[in-house]
Amino acid sequence: MESVVNFRLEDSLEHHTIFPNGFYDATFFVIMNGAKWDGLSDQDKAAIEGIIGETLSAKWGENFDVQNPAATEKLSAAGHDIVEASPELIAAVDTIYDTMVADWLESAKTAGVTDPQAMLDFYNDTYGP
């Protein structure tokens, strides 16, 4: 729900379906030009390293945890239609997801990934709540 508000889409998107564990996720990166990084002082590098990684990830998640209910409240107060996904819709999405993952596993093997299932298992074991 926070994305609807953060991307200022509340005038365009008025109908929302909530999935129990969310519908999407995203990966964010902190990237810097190597030469610029090398030009930073050790103090600046330490300051940056002290706030990225798990620290930044946790803080980002805390922000979502605050923004999401606030956005839901705002959209609900504005009269938006907010419903829970039906079991049938969840099952249909799960089927599509399973097909996409199976396709990715095959594509990863073709691309030379030695054990894409182990990679996926590691991701699932370490990502999320």
Side-chain angles (χ1 to χ4, degrees):
M1 298 302 280
E2 52 72 33
S3 294
V4 176
V5 173
N6 288 340
F7 291 122
R8 298 183 181 109
L9 297 170
E10 55 266 48
D11 291 336
S12 301
L13 301 175
E14 298 179 358
H15 304 279
H16 313 279
T17 302
I18 307 300
F19 280 73
N21 296 315
F23 187 71
Y24 76 98
D25 57 30
T27 303
F28 299 93
F29 300 87
V30 175
I31 300 172
M32 185 175 208
N33 175 288
K36 292 288 185 185
W37 177 259
D38 292 341
L40 293 176
S41 70
D42 288 343
Q43 182 179 359
D44 287 343
K45 287 179 184 177
I48 292 168
E49 289 172 339
I51 61 169
I52 60 174
E54 287 187 37
T55 301
L56 179 61
S57 180
K59 187 55 83 176
W60 198 290
E62 289 171 14
N63 285 332
F64 279 122
D65 288 345
V66 170
Q67 292 176 4
N68 207 43
T72 301
E73 184 177 318
K74 177 181 180 177
L75 297 173
S76 182
H80 285 223
D81 180 36
I82 302 172
V83 299
E84 297 291 326
S86 69
E88 295 80 13
L89 179 57
I90 293 169
V93 169
D94 286 347
T95 298
I96 294 167
Y97 172 83
D98 291 344
T99 300
M100 289 173 59
V101 169
D103 290 348
W104 177 82
L105 289 169
E106 288 305 312
S107 295
K109 285 179 193 172
T110 301
V113 176
T114 305
D115 191 350
Q117 185 63 55
M119 182 186 292
L120 180 62
D121 292 344
F122 174 80
Y123 173 79
N124 287 330
D125 290 343
T126 59
Y127 181 82

